[in-house]
Amino acid sequence: MMDPARYALWNSPSMRSYLENLSPDKLLVEGKGTRVRDAGGRWYLDARSGLWNVSLGYDHPRLTAAIERQLRTLPYTNLQAYGRPAAVALEAAERIVAHMPDGYGKIRFASNGAQAVETAVLLSRYLRRVEGAPERTAVFGLWRQFHGFGATAGALTGLPYLHHQSGALIPDVMHARGPFAPVAADQIEDLPRMITDYGPERVTAVVLEPVVGEGGHVLGADYLRELGDFCRRHDIHIIMDEVTTSMGRVGAFTRTEQVGAAPDIITLGKCLTGGYAALSALVLSDRIYARLEEASQTRPFFTGSTNDGHPLALAAAIAVVDELADGETLAGVRARGARLRELLDELARSRPEITAVRGTGLMHAVEFAQPEGAPWESFRVNALRLAAEARGVLLSNLAMVPAIMVIPPLIVDDGELEEIVTAIDGGLDDLASGRVVADPAKGIW
Ligand SMILES: Cc1ncc(COP(=O)(O)O)c(C=O)c1O
């Protein structure tokens, strides 16, 4: 069998250990339902849904058939130029928009989540220039929130390691304390106060992740409402980054709708195609779209990439929406989410190393600390992930937050939820007994 290290499938902060540990039998070769099989013949329950996107499992007949049909009919058209988009683009747009909150009727497809968030920010700044307020360039995000890699998305992401690893990213991006950060409430880092201090007339947008992927913090409806009122008073655009939370993950098409928030732009990604093809989208409120249409009469807004709105991905998105449309899967996510929470809370009561369980729907974090209170190091959480993997369950761990994310496919059943929690419990036993050793040299992924 081929040696993966030979081709340096590099993609890790700990590249050498990643390659050393990547034996050929670990390569994944097949998927069925919620499970994947490796070349060594072992099946795993995928409690991380690929990369949080394989929402309907690995062999969904409706998804596969939709992509096959599109492949045979028209495998490519471009959305970017020349005014001849594919009919499937309009069909996908209609289907998706029908499940967005009222007043969000316009959609633009892109290729990945980072690009969608980035386009939303650049669109916001573009509007200011055309509307005669070029000094409004500042963008505020929250520490710990993730919006993707790259010069713009990385700058928006509130994880410091991204801000200095390769030098300067886009300017005029700042981060404030979220309602979840362990900082005294009277400190200035609170978002509205920081913007007030900075000068709201110089701020173009705020970017928010309604449920924080890095640690499962849920932004409350009250927080979002108050922030929404504040931003509207100052004409600051709100970009709700729903790349992870949309298309079923929290038991609804959008978290925006679930909490009654009113952003200007919603970004979609990940579960939009169930992971079967690359697609993301920006959904614009009718309000902001009207401004964009007006502005583009004066000066065009150039954006896009060759594979934006790829027909195969759009066919997959239609199948995903159709699958979710009867509400059964979404109701299942709410019920399974509640059960997952019960099981994790129960586990936390029996394991002192678990210091918090957070999340909503099928998106939960389990956080760990040492007996004396110090948070677990990233390599220790990684060792737990690997211990659970050895027990047949794939989980996510994070670069900065000492937590495991449990984020299984939306079609997971109660028995599988128990399997996941049992694997975490067993993995903790493995670490405690020394059967699995947390080795810093093994890195974090
Ligand atoms: C909230 C959020 N926004 C944006 C992104 C970036 O998406 P992509 O990896 O498709 O670029 C992610 C990816 O994890 C995400 O969780």
Side-chain angles (χ1 to χ4, degrees):
M1 200 181 285
M2 67 187 157
D3 174 10
R6 187 170 152 207
Y7 297 104
L9 271 173
W10 65 272
N11 185 25
S12 172
S14 27
M15 204 176 302
R16 195 164 290 168
S17 78
Y18 171 82
L19 289 174
E20 276 165 12
N21 287 310
L22 190 61
S23 58
D25 61 330
K26 283 191 175 166
L27 299 171
L28 297 176
V29 292
E30 187 185 359
K32 273 194 194 334
T34 54
R35 291 173 200 262
V36 286
R37 181 173 67 81
D38 68 17
R42 280 203 68 184
W43 283 93
Y44 299 85
L45 174 54
D46 183 9
R48 59 172 174 253
S49 306
L51 198 50
W52 306 13
N53 54 346
V54 183
S55 50
L56 299 175
Y58 284 92
D59 57 349
H60 199 278
R62 182 177 226 156
L63 260 167
T64 315
I67 296 170
E68 271 176 10
R69 214 177 308 120
Q70 188 62 44
L71 180 61
R72 290 209 196 88
T73 324
L74 183 62
Y76 182 80
T77 53
N78 92 80
L79 261 190
Q80 196 176 327
Y82 316 127
R84 300 295 296 256
V88 69
L90 187 63
E91 205 186 325
E94 268 185 331
R95 286 286 226 298
I96 295 166
V97 161
H99 295 282
M100 292 297 115
D102 287 346
Y104 293 80
K106 299 290 188 286
I107 191 164
R108 163 93 201 190
F109 292 109
S111 302
N112 61 61
Q115 185 200 358
V117 184
E118 183 162 306
T119 305
V121 164
L122 297 180
L123 170 58
S124 173
R125 284 184 172 175
Y126 153 87
L127 282 178
R128 307 303 184 181
R129 300 201 120 207
V130 180
E131 292 175 352
E135 69 289 351
R136 277 191 104 128
T137 52
V139 182
F140 278 77
L142 297 178
W143 287 119
R144 282 222 187 157
Q145 298 214 328
F146 187 77
H147 302 291
F149 296 131
T152 302
L156 299 168
T157 292
L159 298 171
Y161 65 89
L162 282 187
H163 297 175
H164 51 70
Q165 68 175 9
S166 306
L169 303 175
I170 69 156
D172 264 353
V173 177
M174 281 155 276
H175 294 87
R177 184 182 70 91
F180 44 81
V183 178
D186 60 353
Q187 291 192 5
I188 191 73
E189 292 172 36
D190 166 71
L191 187 50
R193 271 184 298 171
M194 206 167 151
I195 293 176
T196 304
D197 196 43
Y198 183 79
E201 69 289 348
R202 291 193 292 150
V203 178
T204 187
V206 158
V207 185
L208 297 170
E209 203 188 348
V211 183
V212 184
E214 298 265 326
H217 296 275
V218 179
L219 298 190
D222 287 349
Y223 177 83
L224 290 171
R225 197 171 318 107
E226 279 165 32
L227 192 58
D229 290 346
F230 172 85
C231 288
R232 254 182 308 283
R233 263 201 311 283
H234 296 287
D235 185 31
I236 294 169
H237 303 145
I238 301 178
I239 299 162
M240 194 72 92
D241 182 358
E242 295 232 40
V243 165
T244 295
T245 48
S246 61
M247 309 312 285
R249 177 57 66 197
V250 298
F253 275 91
T254 61
R255 180 71 182 159
T256 295
E257 181 170 30
Q258 216 171 34
V259 295
D264 296 279
I265 301 175
I266 304 170
T267 57
L268 313 175
K270 298 230 185 235
C271 297
L272 186 53
T273 64
Y276 284 38
L279 186 71
S280 64
L282 292 92
V283 179
L284 269 56
S285 71
D286 298 341
R287 221 167 352 119
I288 203 86
Y289 177 77
R291 284 167 70 171
L292 170 62
E293 195 178 296
E294 188 57 36
S296 70
Q297 298 296 105
T298 311
R299 196 186 306 166
F301 176 60
F302 289 106
T303 186
S305 178
T306 305
N307 287 309
D308 285 359
H310 193 287
L312 302 187
L314 294 169
I318 292 170
V320 167
V321 173
D322 288 349
E323 190 62 27
L324 299 182
D326 69 8
E328 216 175 285
T329 307
L330 298 179
V333 171
R334 294 192 293 275
R336 298 292 93 66
R339 179 65 186 139
L340 175 62
R341 181 53 173 267
E342 262 172 29
L343 289 168
L344 291 174
D345 282 341
E346 204 176 295
L347 180 67
R349 282 194 289 278
S350 70
R351 308 265 5 176
E353 56 274 64
I354 298 179
T355 50
V357 174
R358 289 186 228 97
T360 186
L362 286 171
M363 180 175 180
H364 274 82
V366 184
E367 201 165 290
F368 305 96
Q370 305 285 13
E372 74 283 4
W376 274 19
E377 307 91 331
S378 302
F379 69 85
R380 197 172 303 281
V381 189
N382 191 40
L384 173 62
R385 175 183 69 82
L386 291 171
E389 184 170 311
R391 289 169 173 270
V393 172
L394 304 181
L395 295 162
S396 269
N397 62 310
L398 308 163
M400 286 206 67
V401 180
I404 286 282
M405 290 301 291
V406 182
I407 186 157
L410 310 185
I411 54 166
V412 72
D413 65 29
D414 282 341
E416 289 170 328
L417 292 178
E418 282 175 26
E419 205 177 318
I420 294 166
V421 176
T422 303
I424 299 173
D425 195 25
L428 288 168
D429 282 342
D430 293 339
L431 279 177
S433 67
R435 269 194 303 277
V436 169
V437 177
D439 176 4
K442 287 223 168 124
I444 61 166
W445 283 324

